[in-house]
Amino acid sequence: MLKANIAVLVSGGGTNLQALIDAQKSGIITSGEIKLVVANNANAYALERAKKAGIGTSVVLKSKLGSQEAFENELISVLDEAKTDLIVLAGFMSILSERFTSYYKDKIINVHPSLIPSFCGKGFYGLKVHEAALEYGVKVSGATVHFVNEIPDGGKIIMQRAVEIKDGDTPEILQKRIMEEAEWKILPLSCEKICSQIVKEK
Ligand code: GAR
């Protein structure tokens, strides 16, 4: 069966990457195959997860390349080399320029740990998102998978799942619940949904 080539961009622990690898193994993702994992941080544990699963890896460092433009040119080169059909940002902590997002229009998706349009945009990443949600006092948060365009967290929404906030939650506790109940579920489901559309058009 024809499959979409998936590249996953990561920066840290890679639990969302792990959810994608597991979903591929368990048959939740059948229309795509993870061909490449790219990290913008040489110490990202996500790279170990990829290697364990037998997936090719690449490290692209902005600090070495000197500018955002050179960084994105290198990303484009490794992604095109792998004949990437879908780019999945899974905990990728770098904002991409309009030049990059329009080059891959409708081919980049991202998982964000809140219900967009709350607690999103520039400066809202990782634990900061959960700190902001708890500080505001919302009773429900969750996760969103969306297309990536030039506006940070501003592209079309693909899937969302709500998660209850409980008394005594800390940012770390809330982060874990949102990952377990929402991110690790809707990221693989969204990935399959978009890959199946890509395969139909291939
Ligand atoms: C996840 O919670 C992801 O939603 C978030 O960072 C974490 C990465 O964890 N992403 C953002 O905040 C992007 N704005 P992981 O490396 O274990 O998947």
Side-chain angles (χ1 to χ4, degrees):
M1 191 181 108
L2 192 61
K3 292 192 184 212
N5 296 329
I6 303 169
V8 185
L9 272 53
V10 295
S11 300
T15 64
N16 278 289
L17 167 67
Q18 191 64 55
L20 292 170
I21 293 169
D22 295 346
Q24 195 171 277
K25 279 196 193 127
S26 70
I28 291 170
I29 296 176
T30 57
S31 304
E33 188 174 337
I34 307 167
K35 294 283 190 184
L36 178 68
V37 170
V38 186
N40 66 343
N41 161 17
N43 300 317
Y45 185 67
L47 290 168
E48 303 307 316
R49 297 181 189 272
K51 283 174 197 158
K52 255 185 220 161
I55 300 164
T57 61
S58 180
V59 176
V60 180
L61 299 176
K62 190 170 159 182
S63 56
K64 258 197 184 165
L65 292 158
S67 67
Q68 183 68 21
E69 195 180 355
F71 171 65
E72 291 182 357
N73 284 343
E74 184 60 21
L75 282 179
I76 290 173
S77 148
V78 298
L79 292 167
D80 284 356
E81 174 78 31
K83 299 197 177 351
T84 305
D85 296 307
L86 178 68
I87 299 165
V88 181
L89 308 186
F92 186 64
M93 303 302 183
S94 176
I95 290 180
L96 296 161
S97 76
E98 178 165 15
R99 189 176 69 100
F100 186 92
T101 58
S102 54
Y103 181 76
Y104 293 114
K105 194 175 176 328
D106 297 331
K107 285 184 169 176
I108 315 174
I109 67 173
N110 177 51
V111 60
H112 182 77
S114 75
L115 293 174
I116 290 174
S118 289
F119 314 116
C120 63
K122 206 165 180 270
F124 287 97
Y125 57 87
L127 275 178
K128 285 177 194 285
V129 178
H130 307 296
E131 281 163 12
L134 291 175
E135 199 177 320
Y136 197 97
V138 290
K139 300 299 175 204
V140 171
S141 190
T144 304
V145 178
H146 62 91
F147 283 107
V148 174
N149 64 10
E150 70 283 4
I151 302 158
D153 298 323
K156 197 167 181 291
I157 290 173
I158 300 163
M159 248 178 236
Q160 289 190 303
R161 191 161 291 182
V163 173
E164 197 190 337
I165 290 179
K166 296 185 179 167
D167 288 346
D169 271 355
T170 62
E172 290 79 8
I173 292 171
L174 181 59
Q175 178 182 53
K176 187 163 177 277
R177 188 180 313 119
I178 289 178
M179 281 177 158
E180 286 172 353
E181 293 181 12
E183 295 185 51
W184 301 343
K185 304 243 163 77
I186 64 169
L187 185 59
L189 290 174
S190 303
C191 206
E192 173 57 23
K193 183 175 181 205
I194 305 305
C195 283
S196 72
Q197 287 167 6
I198 291 172
V199 165
K200 270 183 213 144
E201 288 159 15
K202 245 185 167 183

